[in-house]
């Protein structure tokens, strides 16, 4: 074949090569071991010496030219490929980001933190005691005799004889007074356990105990502190009342009710049509309790109170099933 027309043919074919892989195919067909040029060189063998030299030189030149063309195109396609990759990985910094789900405190933690904040602002410090408690601290030292209904097997989880899961935070009163002389002004938040499970009871729930002991502490101090607490917690206008009650470790004792936060006192299902909701137990520390911890009840007086954190959270947030706090359902939790 005429070398001039081979050159034209190569040029034509090269112009239709559009990417690296077709360029590679082309290179193999033209410059490969069994390609066009190998074939042309093979044909030289049949020529005589003079012709072979001239023709051979021309073929070589043409081959060098073709190699150069292929190399040029290769660089071109490689640059193109690189640019395409750069474009694909380009980041648009003006695009709105994906907003991560932000965690938050559990509603019970929020409620507990608020209770603690109110009392610490009133000068109370935070004390703690063990969840697994001696019968002595949970009952005996709190003036709860052996045959008291609160010791019923139905209510108390017994760990072993003489050891229980505390049924209230009141044992922290005893532990604190045993190790501190008056004045004592503490709150004691923590988990408590009772063998109970329904829409308004879980086997584990939380209480905050309060204890203020000194010379000359009176029932009016109890009323004052709890009134401030309730107004801070439920709002300035929340009505409250102290209703006579009984606890073995306080005398006199009172339960505190607040005006129903659901119906504002007009009567509803939540307050059982009374217009009032019980929120805590309280009273003046019983002289017998003082004697047990070695305080002189002739000289020292004080008050104590205990409230359920779940109950307060339910009233504050309008939740009607206590078990909601423990399902860990995100649809519930994300509302707080
Ligand atoms: N411990 C009592 C209860 O669990 C509440 C309470 C605490 C009452 C302190 C009076 C004083 O019901």
């Amino acid at each position: 074949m005429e070398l001039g027309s081979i050159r034209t043919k190569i040029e034509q074919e090269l112009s239709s090569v559009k990417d690296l892989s077709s360029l590679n195919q082309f290179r193999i067909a033209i410059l490969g071991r069994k390609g066009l040029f190998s074939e042309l060189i093979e044909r030289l063998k049949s020529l005589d010496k003079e012709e072979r030299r001239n023709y051979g030189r021309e073929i070589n030149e043409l081959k060098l030219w073709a190699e150069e063309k292929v190399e040029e195109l290769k660089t071109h396609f490689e640059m193109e490929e690189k640019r395409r990759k750069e474009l694909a990985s380009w980041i648009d910094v003006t695009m709105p980001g994906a907003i991560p789900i932000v965690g938050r405190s559990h509603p019970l933690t929020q409620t507990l933190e608020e209770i603690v904040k109110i009392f610490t602002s009133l000068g109370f410090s935070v004390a703690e005691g063990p969840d697994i408690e001696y019968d002595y601290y949970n009952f005996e030292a709190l003036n709860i005799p052996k045959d008291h209904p609160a010791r019923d097997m139905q209510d108390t989880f017994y760990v072993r004889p003489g050891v229980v899961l505390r049924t209230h935070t009141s044992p922290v009163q005893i532990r604190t007074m045993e190790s501190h002389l008056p004045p004592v002004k503490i709150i004691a938040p923590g988990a408590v356990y009772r063998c109970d499970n329904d829409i308004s009871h879980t086997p584990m729930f939380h209480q905050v105990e309060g204890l203020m002991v000194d010379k000359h502490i009176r029932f009016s101090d109890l009323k004052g502190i709890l009134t401030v607490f309730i107004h801070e917690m439920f709002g300035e206008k929340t009505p409250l009342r102290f209703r006579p009650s009984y606890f073995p470790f306080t005398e006199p004792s009172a339960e505190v009710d607040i005006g129903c936060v659901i119906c504002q006192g007009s009567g509803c299902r939540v307050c059982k049509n009374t217009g009032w909701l019980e929120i805590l137990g309280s009273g003046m520390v019983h002289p017998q309790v003082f004697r047990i911890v070695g305080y002189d009840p002739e000289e020292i007086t004080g008050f104590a109170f205990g409230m359920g954190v779940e109950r307060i959270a339910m009233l504050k947030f309008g939740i009607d099933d206590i078990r909601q706090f423990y399902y860990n359902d995100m649809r519930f939790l994300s509302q707080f």
Side-chain angles (χ1 to χ4, degrees):
M1 207 201 290
E2 214 343 306
L3 288 185
S5 66
I6 290 181
R7 189 187 176 107
T8 322
K9 190 169 172 269
I10 289 177
E11 261 172 346
Q12 266 170 10
E13 276 181 28
L14 271 179
S15 70
S16 67
V17 165
K18 291 280 176 279
D19 56 29
L20 274 175
S21 80
S22 52
L23 178 66
N24 200 38
Q25 275 167 19
F26 173 84
R27 191 182 51 78
I28 292 165
I30 303 297
L31 301 164
R33 244 188 310 133
K34 289 179 179 150
L36 176 64
F37 279 99
S38 304
E39 213 176 288
L40 290 174
I41 288 161
E42 190 64 26
R43 263 191 246 161
L44 286 177
K45 290 177 183 161
S46 59
L47 302 176
D48 64 40
K49 208 177 164 194
E50 185 72 2
E51 257 183 323
R52 201 189 306 170
R53 187 140 47 83
N54 290 336
Y55 197 53
R57 194 190 310 118
E58 281 182 57
I59 289 176
N60 249 336
E61 268 167 24
L62 192 57
K63 193 181 175 206
L64 280 174
W65 168 81
E67 278 169 355
E68 214 170 279
K69 282 276 167 207
V70 166
E71 209 43 48
E72 255 172 42
L73 263 182
K74 191 171 166 239
T75 317
H76 170 75
F77 287 137
E78 278 170 356
M79 296 275 286
E80 237 179 25
E81 171 81 6
K82 196 176 157 215
R83 198 165 336 123
R84 209 170 29 245
K85 276 192 181 146
E86 274 170 6
L87 276 176
S89 65
W90 178 74
I91 295 166
D92 181 357
V93 293
T94 67
M95 282 235 301
I99 298 167
I101 298 168
V102 177
R104 67 194 85 190
S105 299
H106 191 278
L108 284 181
T109 308
Q110 290 178 30
T111 307
L112 180 60
E113 280 171 356
E114 198 172 339
I115 296 170
V116 170
K117 195 172 144 213
I118 294 169
F119 282 108
T120 49
S121 79
L122 292 168
F124 286 77
S125 42
V126 177
E128 274 178 275
D131 289 21
I132 300 169
E133 187 55 284
Y134 291 109
D135 181 291
Y136 175 77
Y137 288 108
N138 195 79
F139 296 126
E140 203 74 45
L142 286 161
N143 200 29
I144 303 174
K146 284 266 187 278
D147 54 0
H148 194 277
R151 290 182 164 220
D152 197 308
M153 292 284 280
Q154 300 295 315
D155 296 324
T156 308
F157 288 113
Y158 286 88
V159 176
R160 54 181 155 84
V163 179
V164 300
L165 294 184
R166 66 178 176 189
T167 59
H168 51 179
T169 42
S170 300
V172 185
Q173 287 187 38
I174 307 298
R175 287 179 173 275
T176 307
M177 289 191 284
E178 266 188 354
S179 57
H180 295 79
L181 290 172
V184 167
K185 200 174 173 188
I186 55 124
I187 52 166
V192 300
Y193 307 83
R194 288 180 199 178
C195 193
D196 223 343
N197 203 6
D198 60 41
I199 187 165
S200 52
H201 299 87
T202 47
M204 188 275 312
F205 60 101
H206 298 82
Q207 287 188 335
V208 176
E209 192 80 10
L211 176 68
M212 183 167 173
V213 173
D214 202 349
K215 289 176 184 165
H216 314 303
I217 300 289
R218 300 177 299 180
F219 197 89
S220 53
D221 295 310
L222 168 65
K223 285 184 85 170
I225 292 279
L226 290 179
T227 302
V228 168
F229 165 70
I230 285 163
H231 285 167
E232 290 278 323
M233 196 70 195
F234 292 100
E236 206 71 56
K237 297 196 171 68
T238 310
L240 66 151
R241 67 178 185 186
F242 288 75
R243 185 167 34 76
S245 185
Y246 172 78
F247 299 101
F249 39 94
T250 48
E251 182 59 34
S253 302
E255 281 176 314
V256 177
D257 298 338
I258 59 171
C260 182
V261 290
I262 309 294
C263 65
Q264 256 63 263
S266 60
C268 69
R269 191 176 54 90
V270 176
C271 61
K272 300 193 183 86
N273 278 316
T274 62
W276 293 96
L277 296 164
E278 181 206 319
I279 67 151
L280 59 84
S282 66
M284 300 307 290
V285 178
H286 197 291
Q288 183 59 19
V289 173
F290 281 144
R291 269 179 226 116
I292 284 169
V293 298
Y295 288 5
D296 178 3
E298 296 301 322
E299 190 194 1
I300 296 299
T301 54
F303 65 78
F305 57 85
M307 66 185 84
V309 180
E310 280 79 353
R311 174 134 180 100
I312 292 191
M314 286 168 83
L315 296 176
K316 218 175 143 58
F317 296 124
I319 296 159
D320 58 9
D321 183 349
I322 191 174
R323 293 168 298 194
Q324 287 287 356
F325 289 124
Y326 301 107
Y327 290 144
N328 282 336
D329 183 338
M330 284 303 290
R331 290 168 303 180
F332 172 78
L333 293 177
S334 61
Q335 293 176 57
F336 301 94

